[in-house]
Amino acid sequence: MRYGTFDDDAREYRIERPDTPASWSNYLGTTEYGAIVTNNAGGYSFFQSAAQGRFLRLRFNSVPMDQPGRYFYLRDADTGDFWSASWQPVGKPLDRYRSVCRHGTAYTVIESEYGGLSTETTYFVPLGQRFEYWRLRVRNDSGRPRRLSVFTYCEFANHWKTEQDLVNLQYSLFIVRGRRADDNLLAIEINNHLPADPDCDLTKELGLYSWMALAGAPVAAFDASREAFLGPYRSYDRPLAVERGSCGNCEAYGDNACGSFQTNLELAPGEEREIRVLLGVGQADTVGRRALAEFGSAERCEEELRRLKEHWHAMLGSLAVRTPDPEFDSTVNVWGLYNCLITFAWSRAASLVYNGERDGLGFRDSVQDLLGVMAAIPEQARERLELLLTGQLSTGGALPVVKPFSHHPGRMKPIPEEEYRSDDCLWFFNAVPLYVAETGDLDFYRKVLPYADQGEDNVLGHLRRALEFNLARTGRNGLPCGLAADWNDCLKLGYHGESLFVAFQVRFGLGVYAEA
Amino acid sequence: MRYGTFDDDAREYRIERPDTPASWSNYLGTTEYGAIVTNNAGGYSFFQSAAQGRFLRLRFNSVPMDQPGRYFYLRDADTGDFWSASWQPVGKPLDRYRSVCRHGTAYTVIESEYGGLSTETTYFVPLGQRFEYWRLRVRNDSGRPRRLSVFTYCEFANHWKTEQDLVNLQYSLFIVRGRRADDNLLAIEINNHLPADPDCDLTKELGLYSWMALAGAPVAAFDASREAFLGPYRSYDRPLAVERGSCGNCEAYGDNACGSFQTNLELAPGEEREIRVLLGVGQADTVGRRALAEFGSAERCEEELRRLKEHWHAMLGSLAVRTPDPEFDSTVNVWGLYNCLITFAWSRAASLVYNGERDGLGFRDSVQDLLGVMAAIPEQARERLELLLTGQLSTGGALPVVKPFSHHPGRMKPIPEEEYRSDDCLWFFNAVPLYVAETGDLDFYRKVLPYADQGEDNVLGHLRRALEFNLARTGRNGLPCGLAADWNDCLKLGYHGESLFVAFQVRFGLGVYAEA
C-alpha cells in the first residue's frame, strides 16, 4: 500500500504508483490564475474564482475519478497502439506501463515509460501570468526509429460559472465556439456575439474567452469539438481521433469545445523532442498570440519553471528545522508551509470536492490562515489582513465572505443582523499582533482603513469595534451571544445562545487591545 | 441514417439501431413519480420534483452520453464474456449485437440479441404507485445449456436535490448509506440519523429514503457501494464485479450508493426466465417490503403493465383521425397528444438538458399546455386550471412558477412589482373558455377560488382582475407595459416598454370576458 515518498531535496512528493485509491491533487498558479492537477493529470483551471471563473471542466465525482484533465495521447503510427503520458485516461496495464508523478511547489511532473518510449510532462503557471504550460518531452529508448502522433486534450467549460456549466445546460450547451485562430492557436469563445458583462468584476475585462496554443512542433491537425475528437459512445480512454490516428479539423459551434492539437514526430533511437502547450484566458487573437510569441520557446519555458521554483523555494526557506525525525522535518520545512501558502491563495475554494460556491475568502478561516504564512510572506499577509479589515462592517461584525475580485470597501451592503457570526472579527486579535511582531511595523495599528459598508478607522479602532460588537450582544448570563454561529459552524446555538468560546476570545482580545 | 419507425398499432416508436447520434428519451410515471429512460437505458428517477426529488443519478452532458442508467449486465459463466441488455454501457460491436428499443406510452422496452441469448427489458411505473419496475426476460436461443449471471445496476444520488448531488460534494459525499435490508432488498438512506425536515413539503413524509428489490430469482450477492461494484479506474462499460463474475456484498457508508443484485441462472435450450427489479421511494423496511409483497410477482407485474397501457391508450383514444398521410395520423393520434400529456405532467422540468431548477410549473407555459390536453383529460385539466388560478395574485398578476407540491393558496408571498410578466394571466382567456366548451360546465365561471396571496373571487372575477392588472399598467402610448417580459422571454422590453402582443391579448380577453 505504499504509493510514494518524500523527496525533500527537490521539495517534491514522488507518487510511484499511479493507481492510487483516490486522486492526489496538487495546486498550480497564483491568486490570479489557479489550477488543480492530480497524479493522473485530472483537474481544472480557473481565473480568479474557482466558482465563477472555471474555464477548464472537471466533472465532480466522475467515473472513473478526476476526469477529464490535461492529457497527452501518444500513438505509434506503425502499430496503431496508443497510450497517454499520464497513466489515465487510457490506463495501460501496469505491468507494462510505469509512471511516476512528482508533485512539487506549484508545479507537477508526470513521467511515463511504455513500449520503449519515455515521457516527462510538466505542468505549471508562470509567475504573474494568466496562462499555464504543459511541457511534454518524449524520448525514444527503444533502439529503433519510431513514428509517433501526439494529441493534446482538455475540455473547456461551456460557461465559466461552474454550476451553469455542469447543471444548467439549457443555457450553457449552445453558446460555446471553438475556432482555429492560427495554425497552432485555438480560440475558445463563450457568448462571443455579446459584449462582456460590465457588471461582472471577474469577466468585464476579458469576457469569457480562452485560448490554447502548441509550440515546438508543427500542427498536423486539430479538433476543437469534443464530440468530433472523442467520437460517439466513447470516453477519454479511447478517443476516436486517437484510435484513427488523425484529428478531423473540426471547430465547435455549441455542444462542447475541446483543445486537441495533433503533431507527428519521427524519433531516431535516443532522440528526445519537446512540445509545449500554452493555455490561458483572454482573446486568442491578441492575448494568445502575444503570449505565444513571448513565452513559446523552450528556453523561456525552462526559465519560467526555474523562476517559479526559486520563488517558492525562497518562500519555504523562511524557516528550516533539522530534527531526529525526518518526517517532522518534511512537514515543517516543506509541506506544512506549502499547504498554508496554497490555502492563503485559494482559501477552500479550489478542490475536487468543494465547488467553491461561496466564491471568496471565508472570513474567520482567512484571518486564521494568515497565522501560518506570516513569517514566509509578511507583505502579502499584510495586504490580505487589510483586505479582511475592510471586510469588517461599521457595526464591528464581518461579512461572512470577502471576494477579492469584487470587494469594494465602503460600498458593500451590510448583512442582516441574524447572519453575523460571533467570532469572525475576534480572530484579528491573533493575526494583527502576529504581523506586528513579525515585522516590527508598530505603525500598522495607526493605519486608517475603511469599513466594508461605511466609515473608516485605524486598525486599533477596528479592533475596538470588534470587541464592542460582542460586548453589545450578550445573553442571559452576560456572555457573548453565539449569533448565527461561533467557531463551530455546525452547532446551532441560536442567535441568543451564549458561547463560552467567544467569551474566551473576547477576554483574549481585551488583553491584546490593552497591550496594543 | 434511418434509426427507427412508427408502429401506430402498438402506439410505439421502434428504434432499430441503438447508436443514435443523440439520446432518444421516453418518460415514465405520473406527476407523483417520474422517470426518464433513453434508448440505451440511461436516465434518472424522481419523486414529485425533478430538481428536489431526484434520487437516481444521471450526469448531465456525460461522456459517453446519458450515463448512468438502469442496467442489466449479463455474463456467461463459462466464457467470462459479458454484455448489457441495452447496447450501452458495455457497447458490444454492432455486427454481433442487435438491439431494438420500443418507446411506448409511459413504458419502454429494450430488446437485445447477443451470443445466442435474447433479452427483453421493460421499464414502467405502475399507475398510482411510487415505484418503478424493470422486468428482464432472458431466453436461451443457442441450442445448448447456458449458465449466466445477471447483475442489476443503478446509481443513487447522494442528495435528492440535484445541485447538491452533482456540484456541492462537500455536503453530499458523506451522507448516504446503502444497506441490505433483506436478502433481496436494499435500503438507500440519506442523512438517516436525522429526522425528516418538517419544512420540506417534498420529503417531510418520507425523508430521503429509497429502496430496490429483486424478484423472480434468488439473490447470489449484492453491492450497494458503487466503488466496490465498478472498481477503481473503471466505468460502466467494464465493472469489476461483472468482469470478475461476483458482487462483493459491500454496503455503502458515504461515497456513492448503487443498486446491484447478482443472480445466477441456468437456462436449458429454449428456456426463458424472468426477473423483476422494483425500485421506489420510502423506507425499505416498510414501504419496500410491502411493495415487494404486493407487486413482486410476474402476474402482478404483467397486470400492471396491461393497466398502464389501457390507461394511456384510452386517453389517446379521445381523438382519432385517418387521413391520406399516415405520418400526420401518427402525430395526431399518438405522439402529439402523448407529448402534450407528458408536458402536462412535468412541464419542462424533466429533461436530459434542463435540470428542472425552476422546480415547478412555469405559469404561462402551463396555462397554454392545458389547451393540448383538454379533450383527453378534462377533469385533470380543470384541477390544474384551478391550481393555476390560485397562482394568480390578488393584484391580478401571477407567480412566475407554481410548485404543486408546495403551493399554499392564500399564503404565498407576493412577488416584487418588477418581476411580473405581463402576459401570464391573459392565457386564461384561452384556457378557461376551452374547458367550458369541452365540458359544458358553465358553472365553472362562478366557482370561487383563492388568490395566491390573499382574498378570493370566482373564476370570472379572476379573469376580470387579470384584465385590470394590464389596464392599470400601460405605457406612453396607452398600450400595456411589457413588465419583466411578455410572451417573448428573451426580448428585454424594460418594465415600461409597451407590448403589442399583450395589447392583442387584452383585446382578445375583453371579448372573451364580455361573452362569458
Side-chain angles (χ1 to χ4, degrees), chain A residues 20 61 167 226 233 256 355, chain B residues 20 61 167 226 233 256 355:
Chain A
T20 49
N61 197 9
V167 178
R226 180 187 84 183
Y233 299 100
N256 292 276
N355 65 353
Chain B
T20 49
N61 198 8
V167 178
R226 180 188 85 183
Y233 298 101
N256 292 276
N355 66 354

Side-chain angles (χ1 to χ4, degrees), chain A residues 417-420 469 473 480-484 493-498:
Chain A
E417 177 67 28
E418 64 272 18
E419 290 182 16
Y420 283 117
F469 175 85
R473 288 167 176 80
C481 292
L483 311 184
L493 299 164
Y495 181 91
H496 293 288
E498 293 162 283

Side-chain angles (χ1 to χ4, degrees), chain A residues 78-114:
Chain A
D78 295 309
T79 67
D81 190 22
F82 61 89
W83 62 103
S84 39
S86 44
W87 178 53
Q88 292 291 314
V90 176
K92 285 287 183 187
L94 287 174
D95 55 352
R96 293 184 286 132
Y97 186 100
R98 204 183 72 85
S99 172
V100 172
C101 171
R102 292 157 34 208
H103 280 328
T105 49
Y107 67 89
T108 284
V109 180
I110 299 177
E111 303 165 354
S112 81
E113 291 175 22
Y114 177 77

Side-chain angles (χ1 to χ4, degrees), chain A residues 256-278:
Chain A
N256 292 276
C258 74
S260 186
F261 288 115
Q262 174 188 354
T263 186
N264 302 323
L265 304 176
E266 302 200 2
L267 292 179
E271 187 179 355
E272 183 177 274
R273 288 288 293 276
E274 177 185 308
I275 60 173
R276 294 164 299 287
V277 167
L278 287 77

Side-chain angles (χ1 to χ4, degrees), chain B residues 2 24 41 73-74 106 113 128 147 197 325 365 390 412 442 448:
Chain B
R2 186 181 184 92
W24 210 312
Y73 294 95
L74 291 91
E113 290 176 23
R147 297 192 309 129
D197 180 355
D325 181 344
D365 321 23
T390 69
M412 303 303 286
L442 275 163
V448 175

Side-chain angles (χ1 to χ4, degrees), chain A residues 118-274:
Chain A
S118 59
T119 66
E120 182 196 77
T121 312
T122 307
Y123 300 100
F124 70 102
V125 179
L127 289 172
Q129 299 302 323
R130 291 178 174 181
F131 71 89
E132 62 192 79
Y133 281 112
W134 318 350
R135 182 177 73 181
L136 175 74
R137 290 173 166 168
V138 196
R139 199 178 59 232
N140 178 0
D141 296 330
S142 69
R144 59 191 167 85
R146 299 290 288 270
R147 299 191 308 129
L148 291 179
S149 292
V150 179
F151 302 81
T152 69
Y153 186 82
C154 65
E155 194 163 316
F156 293 94
N158 283 335
H159 199 287
W160 290 19
K161 290 190 180 165
T162 304
E163 196 197 319
Q164 291 285 85
D165 179 55
L166 295 180
V167 178
N168 194 20
L169 273 68
Q170 70 166 345
Y171 287 147
S172 61
L173 198 49
F174 313 104
I175 58 176
V176 74
R177 182 166 178 209
R179 72 179 165 85
R180 192 176 202 171
D182 289 323
D183 273 0
N184 61 347
L185 181 64
L186 296 179
I188 310 298
E189 306 170 330
I190 295 163
N191 272 340
N192 63 322
H193 57 293
L194 297 178
D197 180 354
D199 295 332
C200 178
D201 287 294
L202 191 73
T203 59
K204 67 184 172 192
E205 177 198 338
L206 41 81
L208 300 171
Y209 291 94
S210 54
W211 54 272
M212 183 174 184
L214 188 77
V219 169
F222 80 98
D223 272 318
S225 156
R226 180 187 84 183
E227 280 62 25
F229 180 79
L230 294 181
Y233 299 100
R234 287 163 177 262
S235 189
Y236 309 105
D237 60 340
R238 201 167 55 91
L240 180 63
V242 178
E243 190 176 280
R244 184 178 59 206
S246 61
C247 282
N249 292 323
C250 290
E251 300 198 328
Y253 291 88
D255 293 326
N256 292 276
C258 74
S260 186
F261 288 115
Q262 174 188 354
T263 186
N264 302 323
L265 304 176
E266 302 200 2
L267 292 179
E271 187 179 355
E272 183 177 274
R273 288 288 293 276
E274 177 185 308

